[in-house]
Amino acid sequence: MAAIDALSKDSAPVALPGVGRTLIAAGLLSQKTAEDLVRKAAASRTNFIAELTGSGVVSAADLAHAVSAAFGAPLLDLSAIDPLRLPKDLLDIKICHDYRVVVLSKRSNRLIVATADPSDQEAAEKIKFSTQLGVDWVIAEYDKLSKLLETTGTSASEQLDNMVGSGGEFEFDEEPEALDPNATDNGNLAEVEDAPVVKFLHKMLIDAFNMRASDLHFEPYEHNYRVRFRVDGELREIASPPVAIKEKLASRIKVISRMDISEKRVPQDGKMKLKVGADRVIDFRVSTLPTLFGEKIVIRILDPSSARLGIEALGYEPEEKERLLQAIGRPYGMILVTGPTGSGKTVSLYTCLNLLNKPGVNIATAEDPSEINLPGVNQVNVNDRAGLTFAVALKSFLRQDPDIIMVGEIRDLETADISIKAAQTGHLVLSTLHTNDAPTTLTRMRNMGIAPFNIASSVILITAQRLARRLCPVCKQPHEVPRSALLDAGYTEEQLDGSWQPYRAVGCSACNNGYKGRVGIYQVMPVNEAMQEIILRDGSALEIAAQARRDGVRSLRESGLHKVRLGMTSLEEVLAVTNE
């Protein structure tokens, strides 16, 4: 990622391609950025448009529209094209791949050719020389053009080899016992060990880890197959391997994850480890889901180091951190963390457990499944099929002399009842619920059937949280936002005193469209006596929220707006992840 920054120090003049000059004229690209991309393309032996769209400076769609308008060429959506109906043998497939063009049709003595760069005179001359036909350009989005090229002209193995390149060798930490040569239901062993598929899977896993992705999505469709990574909370399409590999890739992943490769009708879950060095192993959690055109597979990267970052790294404000530390320092009671899937609840809980994990403390956790391995903590994976539910695990924990109990999620009344009884009888209980904010968590528990007295006497603190993308410190820029928009977002007149400046995302070689990493937005609400009185008289979430405001507890929106004032994230991001 530092390549562009390093190359930009070179002050030698750079000849810009026609597309680069067009984007500069349209105001979509600066002269300096264009020159940096040209240098990087030369250093990496790729083309300018690949670097341009790959860096995220200009999207493939914006590029296509700008080029179409500038060159007066028609714009075509290639996703509507059936690859099987494209003309064959009109142009050598190597030329198509070298110059990133697709022949759409032949009209009289001219070829209709899709390209993302109509200024490429070398490509036009090469096509004319090879076919003795004229060329009429049609503009297409570069990513869709690349995807279409990858589905034509080469075998699936060749395409995968091209995508993988000559990267290093990787190996899985341990080969699964499921590959029994005497078994009859293990599928095709040749498919599982197909070399290009194995290399491609390894490359995707390593690339995802290096990009700090949280998840990999392998998604089969009728005519295409795509791989997406979730980076900083956003899904990004990374590769479009040939659709022919979907069965082999699914088999390989399922075997390594110790799943049943003969079962394709029901979802399955598994785990795998990838060894990337003498002493470095990456853990992954794998989930399969049968879809119309094959099995979709999602692989989550499990990073045990995230639980050891410390509470300061999570983004709590000083008063929020103090409330949380006071709560986890109490000998008994219930602490709840709420928020949607992917909001960082598990990391928050394990950060607390890491602080509490002392030699003189007995900690037990029940999860579905356990994502982070924490030495010194007794971790149990629930297994509903085997009868090991959250409730059963909790009952067993209470016979194991625990000091602290962590329940992955309170899903039903039985689990809630046992958790509350544990919190009332001298245990510190940590768990999660899926609610929108902290005040609604208490009414949600009431709706589950828990008596108000039990809620008031057991719950000591609730934390609601979201994850917002953090602005890139390298390229973020001050942003003038109308005063009326700031007031509508939730700022008060007193806060708009001119002492701070909103920032906006820009995008550079060091980040992902102007953002790099994520920061937590929290609503940390202690349950004090005043709030207990509201709960005991069966008060509403609005009454609880009003009391929380009187106690100085920020709402999620207010917490996010505070992060905007600190320059950590943008107003647009906060409005997107919080609800008022």
Side-chain angles (χ1 to χ4, degrees):
M1 290 190 291
I4 290 181
D5 294 333
L7 289 167
S8 64
K9 296 176 183 177
D10 185 358
S11 59
V14 173
L16 295 179
V19 169
R21 296 193 297 272
T22 298
L23 293 175
I24 292 171
L28 295 175
L29 198 63
S30 69
Q31 179 83 19
K32 179 181 180 301
T33 302
E35 292 177 356
D36 290 344
L37 289 168
V38 169
R39 292 190 183 100
K40 189 175 184 220
S44 59
R45 296 183 180 181
T46 183
N47 62 65
F48 174 77
I49 291 183
E51 290 296 337
L52 178 69
T53 56
S55 66
V57 175
V58 177
S59 71
D62 289 344
L63 171 64
H65 282 88
V67 168
S68 174
F71 287 86
L75 181 63
L76 177 68
D77 183 1
L78 287 184
S79 61
I81 298 295
D82 184 354
L84 300 176
R85 298 195 175 193
L86 289 173
K88 303 291 191 295
D89 304 325
L90 287 178
L91 184 62
D92 184 84
I93 191 65
K94 188 176 186 305
I95 295 177
C96 292
H97 280 269
D98 287 347
Y99 293 97
R100 314 307 286 172
V101 295
V102 170
V103 177
L104 301 173
S105 64
K106 178 176 178 289
R107 183 180 303 158
S108 185
N109 63 341
R110 302 187 70 80
L111 289 179
I112 312 299
V113 183
T115 181
D117 185 5
S119 68
D120 191 346
Q121 292 300 316
E122 183 181 337
E125 293 301 323
K126 189 77 173 180
I127 295 170
K128 289 177 184 177
F129 180 79
S130 175
T131 63
Q132 299 301 306
L133 297 170
V135 176
D136 290 330
W137 293 125
V138 172
I139 309 304
E141 295 171 39
Y142 185 78
D143 53 350
K144 294 180 180 178
L145 191 64
S146 300
K147 186 183 298 183
L148 188 59
L149 282 167
E150 287 163 2
T151 62
T152 60
T154 56
S155 69
S157 294
E158 289 173 326
Q159 290 178 48
L160 286 183
D161 281 335
N162 292 335
M163 294 171 77
V164 173
S166 56
E169 290 297 321
F170 314 107
E171 60 176 327
F172 284 95
D173 186 42
E174 55 183 22
E175 285 297 327
E177 299 168 359
L179 272 183
D180 179 1
N182 298 317
T184 59
D185 61 349
N186 279 333
N188 190 322
L189 295 184
E191 281 193 1
V192 172
E193 299 301 329
D194 185 272
V197 171
V198 171
K199 290 181 181 178
F200 176 72
L201 174 59
H202 289 182
K203 176 175 170 54
M204 290 296 99
L205 295 174
I206 295 298
D207 285 352
F209 184 78
N210 290 337
M211 291 174 66
R212 301 184 64 83
S214 59
D215 302 89
L216 300 83
H217 292 240
F218 296 87
E219 301 170 316
Y221 298 95
E222 186 173 11
H223 298 300
N224 66 296
Y225 191 81
R226 70 177 177 182
V227 181
R228 296 191 291 174
F229 294 172
R230 189 176 292 279
V231 181
D232 293 339
E234 282 197 334
L235 280 171
R236 299 171 55 187
E237 186 164 340
I238 300 298
S240 297
V243 71
I245 73 157
K246 64 181 181 181
E247 298 292 344
K248 293 181 180 180
L249 187 59
S251 294
R252 175 65 179 172
I253 293 172
K254 288 164 72 175
V255 164
I256 297 300
S257 306
R258 298 177 181 268
M259 299 182 196
D260 183 356
I261 65 173
S262 66
E263 180 56 78
K264 303 177 182 179
R265 300 164 299 175
V266 297
Q268 296 188 64
D269 295 300
K271 281 187 176 183
M272 62 184 178
K273 296 176 181 286
L274 182 66
K275 187 182 294 183
V276 293
D279 57 354
R280 185 67 183 274
V281 175
I282 308 170
D283 292 316
F284 301 91
R285 189 184 78 195
V286 185
S287 172
T288 70
L289 179 70
T291 67
L292 287 177
F293 303 107
E295 290 178 285
K296 175 181 176 178
I297 300 175
V298 176
I299 300 178
R300 169 155 291 187
I301 300 175
L302 307 178
D303 186 5
S305 63
S306 61
R308 301 181 179 91
L309 293 175
I311 196 168
E312 291 78 11
L314 298 184
Y316 285 96
E317 295 303 315
E319 65 274 17
E320 296 169 345
K321 182 178 75 171
E322 183 61 29
R323 291 171 189 153
L324 181 61
L325 291 177
Q326 285 181 358
I328 66 174
R330 292 175 60 172
Y332 58 87
M334 178 180 285
I335 298 171
L336 295 171
V337 180
T338 77
T341 301
S343 60
K345 298 189 297 296
T346 300
V347 171
S348 294
L349 285 175
Y350 267 93
T351 299
C352 293
L353 288 181
N354 198 44
L355 293 173
L356 296 168
N357 189 15
K358 309 293 183 186
V361 178
N362 180 18
I363 303 175
T365 74
E367 301 165 83
D368 184 21
S370 175
E371 294 186 7
I372 298 173
N373 180 26
L374 196 59
V377 174
N378 305 290
Q379 297 171 274
V380 174
N381 278 338
V382 301
N383 186 337
D384 290 337
R385 289 185 180 179
L388 180 56
T389 62
F390 279 118
V392 170
L394 272 171
K395 289 177 181 177
S396 180
F397 287 170
L398 295 176
R399 294 190 289 270
Q400 292 278 318
D401 186 30
D403 297 298
I404 299 166
I405 296 171
M406 196 268 271
V407 185
E409 182 183 350
I410 294 178
R411 296 177 179 172
D412 52 58
L413 178 59
E414 185 181 11
T415 304
D417 273 336
I418 300 171
S419 299
I420 284 174
K421 287 174 183 175
Q424 291 171 332
T425 54
H427 307 91
L428 184 64
V429 179
L430 292 82
S431 189
T432 70
L433 270 176
H434 288 286
T435 57
N436 290 328
D437 58 16
T440 56
T441 302
L442 295 170
T443 54
R444 163 77 176 130
M445 296 180 74
R446 185 71 186 93
N447 291 337
M448 289 175 68
I450 304 170
F453 171 79
N454 286 331
I455 299 172
S457 62
S458 60
V459 180
I460 58 175
L461 181 130
I462 301 170
T463 296
Q465 64 182 68
R466 301 288 188 275
L467 289 178
R469 291 179 295 170
R470 189 188 293 266
L471 283 168
C472 173
V474 176
C475 65
K476 69 178 183 179
Q477 292 181 356
H479 182 39
E480 292 298 328
V481 180
R483 188 180 187 88
S484 59
L486 293 173
L487 290 171
D488 288 343
Y491 287 108
T492 63
E493 288 284 357
E494 293 75 18
Q495 290 172 328
L496 303 181
D497 55 6
S499 63
W500 59 279
Q501 172 72 58
Y503 286 85
R504 67 182 179 91
V506 178
C508 67
S509 61
C511 66
N512 175 29
N513 295 327
Y515 297 95
K516 187 174 183 181
R518 290 191 284 179
V519 63
I521 295 175
Y522 302 96
Q523 180 185 28
V524 182
M525 188 183 81
V527 179
N528 55 25
E529 289 185 6
M531 210 164 286
Q532 287 174 341
E533 290 179 5
I534 297 173
I535 297 169
L536 287 171
R537 58 181 169 82
D538 217 5
S540 68
L542 291 175
E543 293 178 86
I544 296 170
Q547 180 61 46
R549 187 179 296 276
R550 288 192 290 271
D551 294 336
V553 176
R554 290 192 184 103
S555 69
L556 281 168
R557 171 63 62 83
E558 290 168 340
S559 182
L561 294 177
H562 185 66
K563 294 289 194 297
V564 174
R565 293 182 66 187
L566 297 175
M568 292 183 178
T569 188
S570 66
L571 181 61
E572 293 79 10
E573 182 69 7
V574 168
L575 296 178
V577 301
T578 61
N579 208 6
E580 278 290 284

